[in-house]
Amino acid sequence: MQIISSHLYFCCPNRKRSIKPDGWFKMQIPCSPQRVKSIAFLRRPQDCKFLMQNTRLFSVPNTNDGHPSVSKLEDSNTNHSPNSEVESLLHHWSPPRFLWRGLSVLVIAGQVLVRILTGKIHWRNTLQQLERVGPKSLGVCLLTSAFVGMAFTIQFVREFTRLGLSRSVGGVLALAFARELSPVVTSIVVAGRIGSAFAAELGTMQVSEQTDTLRVLGTNPVDYLVTPRVIAASVALPFLTLMCFIVGMASSGFLADAVYGVSINIILDSARRALKPWDIISAMIKSQVFGAIISIVSCAWGVTTMGGAKGVGESTTSSVVISLVGIFIADFVLSYFFFQGVGDSLKNCV
């Protein structure tokens, strides 16, 4: 008769009576009536675990009684190698949140570009978002541009009049608005109004598992939610910038004529001589890039939201901040490539 000495641990709560006083416990093994020794029972349910060492058992014929007996091979546990420790360490490591969110921006941008090139566009949602970004944002953009134009007029007219360069005020204002102020100010307003709304909407859908429902119904969230918003922001922002430029110049001329005595005709004639077609085109290109940055960052922050209502609020705030930083960085890069060398735009206005 053979005795198995492998270490086995079972959970038998409240089964103390099943253990015999001599420490032996009868256990039936197929094809063998042997007894098993060294069985430990855990009494508390919270400690209930099934633990067994990696021990190999095999059956060999027993020459004494003719029945097969069970033998034990050596322990095959080799999990103490350095490779297993490295794998265990990497298994519990996760990248920082800002890193994978930044990568999600690139992934979503690539997916949107592929959808646009292949024509996978949800036109109904695109038109709805276009109306939201364009006409419904026009009032606040024009109001902001008008007051920014009047504020800059106060500074320029006072200083240029004292230098005897009042005829150059219109050209300076036109160049400042066309190249920098109109696209940047319009993008800031849109980022605060539309970008935050995009992030909040998609974040709420993400934490409430509505995006998972779209996938179950066979609809790709990128096609249905992200691509229409990116197209709408990229198309509507150049036209908003052009209208803000017109309103800003009109408010500047009105203030210069009404308060400082500089005729509005002088302002407009100076602006006409200073501006070139490339100045308007560059402003529209900038605003289109800014619209893409706002929409992609907001949608990426929305679809990566976690943590319920608090996470939605944090994603909304963070998306606006990141969008503004991206706008300023892109403005510097585009201005550097668009307007290199010594300028001669004001030589016709002096």
Side-chain angles (χ1 to χ4, degrees):
M1 183 178 296
Q2 300 291 330
I3 297 175
I4 301 175
S5 61
S6 177
H7 299 283
L8 301 175
Y9 300 85
F10 294 92
C11 173
C12 291
N14 299 327
R15 302 284 301 230
K16 184 177 180 181
R17 297 179 181 177
S18 61
I19 305 176
K20 293 185 179 182
D22 56 359
W24 292 86
F25 184 77
K26 291 185 179 180
M27 183 176 180
Q28 184 66 33
I29 298 178
C31 301
S32 178
Q34 286 84 3
R35 291 181 294 177
V36 179
K37 193 176 182 181
S38 300
I39 297 179
F41 293 88
L42 304 178
R43 299 174 56 187
R44 292 179 296 177
Q46 58 269 24
D47 295 334
C48 242
K49 296 180 180 179
F50 181 82
L51 304 175
M52 182 174 180
Q53 294 181 349
N54 294 332
T55 303
R56 295 182 181 178
L57 303 179
F58 66 95
S59 177
V60 295
N62 190 352
T63 57
N64 296 331
D65 52 5
H67 295 285
S69 62
V70 181
S71 302
K72 181 183 75 169
L73 291 178
E74 64 275 1
D75 190 2
S76 62
N77 187 8
T78 59
N79 292 330
H80 300 289
S81 61
N83 294 332
S84 63
E85 294 180 359
V86 174
E87 292 177 359
S88 177
L89 180 62
L90 295 177
H91 178 72
H92 295 288
W93 180 83
S94 61
R97 190 174 185 183
F98 71 89
L99 179 60
W100 60 263
R101 268 191 160 177
L103 294 177
S104 68
V105 172
L106 300 178
V107 172
I108 290 178
Q111 291 179 342
V112 170
L113 183 61
V114 170
R115 262 75 175 176
I116 294 175
L117 295 178
T118 56
K120 295 181 179 180
I121 302 173
H122 198 283
W123 291 108
R124 182 178 179 182
N125 281 357
T126 302
L127 294 177
Q128 291 177 353
Q129 298 300 327
L130 189 62
E131 178 186 5
R132 181 183 184 186
V133 177
K136 293 186 178 180
S137 302
L138 183 61
V140 63
C141 291
L142 295 182
L143 185 64
T144 304
S145 179
F147 281 97
V148 170
M150 290 188 288
F152 273 81
T153 303
I154 293 173
Q155 304 298 329
F156 287 149
V157 171
R158 292 174 65 244
E159 300 299 331
F160 278 61
T161 302
R162 294 188 63 180
L163 296 175
L165 300 174
S166 59
R167 302 184 68 90
S168 302
V169 174
V172 173
L173 288 173
L175 291 176
F177 268 94
R179 293 181 176 180
E180 298 296 333
L181 291 179
S182 292
V184 172
V185 170
T186 305
S187 301
I188 291 173
V189 174
V190 171
R193 186 184 183 277
I194 300 300
S196 59
F198 287 172
E201 289 176 357
L202 297 185
T204 304
M205 296 180 69
Q206 180 67 25
V207 298
S208 60
E209 299 181 356
Q210 296 183 36
T211 54
D212 297 334
T213 305
L214 289 176
R215 293 187 181 92
V216 171
L217 296 176
T219 303
N220 194 330
V222 176
D223 298 339
Y224 191 78
L225 300 175
V226 179
T227 304
R229 287 169 167 81
V230 175
I231 295 176
S234 301
V235 171
L237 215 56
F239 295 98
L240 289 176
T241 300
L242 184 60
M243 293 181 183
C244 288
F245 169 74
I246 296 173
V247 171
M249 287 301 302
S251 62
S252 299
F254 175 77
L255 182 65
D257 191 7
V259 178
Y260 297 100
V262 181
S263 175
I264 190 173
N265 294 324
I266 296 176
I267 298 292
L268 296 180
D269 183 66
S270 177
R272 181 183 60 81
R273 287 182 292 166
L275 282 178
K276 296 179 180 179
W278 174 245
D279 296 323
I280 304 298
I281 295 173
S282 64
M284 299 187 73
I285 293 175
K286 278 186 176 183
S287 58
Q288 192 170 27
V289 173
F290 297 162
I293 291 174
I294 293 169
S295 56
I296 291 176
V297 170
S298 301
C299 293
W301 256 243
V303 299
T304 56
T305 301
M306 296 183 300
K310 183 179 179 181
V312 173
E314 292 177 352
S315 296
T316 303
T317 305
S318 179
S319 66
V320 174
V321 174
I322 298 299
S323 298
L324 294 179
V325 173
I327 288 171
F328 296 140
I329 295 175
D331 180 60
F332 166 74
V333 174
L334 294 176
S335 297
Y336 180 79
F337 286 104
F338 288 166
F339 310 108
Q340 287 187 354
V342 179
D344 56 353
S345 299
L346 292 177
K347 67 179 181 180
N348 297 325
C349 303
V350 179

